[in-house]
Amino acid sequence: MSSDRLMRIHSAEFQAMAERVLRVTELTSRLNVLPFEDEAGKAELFERILGKPLPPGVTIYPPFYTDHGLNLDLAERVFINQNCTFLDYAGIRLGERVMIGPKVTFITSGHPVDPEERRLYLTGAPIDVAENVWIGAGATILPGVSIGRDAVIAAGAVVADDVPPASLVTGGKATVHRTW
């Protein structure tokens, strides 16, 4: 995992992030129980979650989950289907006309692999999704991944490496890479 960001868990920065996570969890809990037709209520809560109004043409179907919100950058005409999760500690950018299927998960944070450091640090790397990308249902996008313009991520795929433009990515097979 890329560790573009490294945060000590017992630090003031981590405490501030943890407080933000609690506030955003409360806001998304409220968002996810609003009547579907309450557009004004959803818009107000999304503005509080993201720190700014939704861009023109953005559609998000709740339930919607994020742990931070302020590091989620949505371009115009993005579509996000229901039950998606955005762990945006290190930043997530979705380009124009990106389409996200249901139950897609974006994860920008993790922990070091080394057992001695695992409970001491939080690692993170941003995710960047270019224009006109389609991400199928249940896909998982891991820290540090960039997805090129016009790419398609198949349903259920686990994306741990960059995806070139205009390509199809499939699969979710886990393999042993090292032992300790």
Side-chain angles (χ1 to χ4, degrees):
M1 169 189 304
S2 175
S3 59
D4 291 351
R5 295 182 70 176
L6 186 66
M7 179 190 310
R8 188 163 189 79
I9 288 178
H10 300 288
S11 69
E13 181 185 14
F14 182 84
Q15 183 60 39
M17 186 196 71
E19 290 170 9
R20 173 70 186 165
V21 168
L22 291 176
R23 284 193 304 277
V24 170
T25 300
E26 185 269 327
L27 293 170
T28 57
S29 294
R30 290 178 47 206
L31 171 75
N32 293 334
V33 297
L34 282 178
F36 186 76
E37 65 276 3
D38 186 354
E39 295 297 330
K42 289 190 293 187
E44 187 268 328
L45 285 168
F46 275 123
E47 185 168 348
R48 291 178 61 195
I49 291 165
L50 302 175
K52 59 188 173 240
L54 286 175
V58 169
T59 301
I60 302 175
Y61 288 162
F64 168 87
Y65 303 96
T66 185
D67 65 343
H68 197 270
L70 298 177
N71 296 325
L72 181 55
D73 180 16
L74 305 174
E76 292 183 12
R77 299 182 358 224
V78 166
F79 174 81
I80 299 171
N81 213 322
Q82 59 191 343
N83 212 18
C84 291
T85 300
F86 296 83
L87 304 183
D88 65 311
Y89 152 71
I92 299 169
R93 184 190 78 84
L94 301 181
E96 287 189 19
R97 298 181 327 276
V98 167
M99 297 185 304
I100 309 294
K103 296 185 179 181
V104 171
T105 301
F106 293 82
I107 303 169
T108 67
S109 59
H111 297 272
V113 173
D114 183 325
E116 299 298 318
E117 295 181 349
R118 195 173 298 153
R119 297 189 188 280
L120 298 176
Y121 296 99
L122 184 68
T123 61
I127 294 171
D128 185 67
V129 180
E131 295 75 19
N132 205 38
V133 168
W134 177 23
I135 301 177
T140 300
I141 315 301
L142 296 177
V145 166
S146 290
I147 301 174
R149 182 184 180 94
D150 299 321
V152 175
I153 310 302
V158 176
V159 183
D161 297 311
D162 290 349
V163 176
S167 59
L168 171 65
V169 174
T170 67
K173 182 181 178 196
T175 58
V176 174
H177 289 276
R178 66 178 174 166
T179 60
W180 57 88

